[in-house]
Amino acid sequence: MAGKILIVDDEIHIRMLLEQTLEELEDDYGVELLTASDGEEGMEIIQEEQPEVVFLDIMMPKMNGYEVCRSIQESPEPNGSKIVLITAKGQEIDKKQGLELGACMYLTKPFDPDKVLLVAKELMNLE
């Protein structure tokens, strides 16, 4: 059975673009796409659904991407979600902080949809 991908971004057009980019995985592999509009909602979905991959924005209301990463790391229950930070914050210090908090990858906006698709396939061991 194919897994789940969660997209967490407060900007609806970014969520829609990521969904459109990843819908090929839905069609070809049966991957389930989930979305959240802020970090708090994203955290709830991560705990309930245990997605394999989470594309996570950093700058969001309620709970930012760094806080979500920290919460996942500090959770007593193991979580196998692979976090890919996807953000306009492209400074090396931002990248370093994200990776230290448990993200496995860091992509900057504007992102290349082909790269996002490739990353998702790699992290889910598809193809």
Side-chain angles (χ1 to χ4, degrees):
M1 188 187 108
K4 299 172 184 173
I5 295 177
L6 172 61
I7 299 164
V8 188
D9 199 303
D10 59 322
E11 295 179 51
I12 189 164
H13 63 279
I14 299 288
R15 283 197 313 273
M16 288 172 63
L17 179 59
L18 283 167
E19 274 187 282
Q20 288 170 346
T21 299
L22 297 168
E23 70 186 1
E24 178 183 314
L25 301 181
E26 219 173 14
D27 298 340
D28 295 350
Y29 302 98
V31 170
E32 186 180 347
L33 297 180
L34 309 166
T35 61
S37 58
D38 61 58
E40 209 170 81
E41 183 186 2
M43 198 62 219
E44 287 171 19
I45 294 172
I46 289 166
Q47 290 167 338
E48 288 171 23
E49 300 286 342
Q50 300 284 310
E52 280 185 68
V53 177
V54 179
F55 286 97
L56 180 65
D57 186 23
I58 292 178
M59 296 178 286
M60 292 183 294
K62 296 187 184 174
M63 192 176 191
N64 70 37
Y66 292 143
E67 291 166 330
V68 171
C69 284
R70 189 175 294 115
S71 292
I72 291 169
Q73 273 203 328
E74 292 172 355
S75 173
E77 295 177 22
N79 183 302
S81 297
K82 298 173 186 102
I83 308 294
V84 178
L85 292 171
I86 191 159
T87 180
K89 292 173 73 79
Q91 299 294 319
E92 198 57 40
I93 191 160
D94 299 315
K95 184 176 182 177
K96 186 173 184 280
Q97 181 179 357
L99 296 174
E100 284 173 357
L101 288 170
C104 67
M105 199 170 288
Y106 196 101
L107 301 174
T108 53
K109 294 177 187 172
F111 54 84
D112 175 357
D114 292 335
K115 171 81 172 163
V116 168
L117 189 60
L118 188 66
V119 164
K121 282 181 176 179
E122 280 178 19
L123 293 177
M124 295 186 80
N125 296 317
L126 302 172
E127 286 192 317

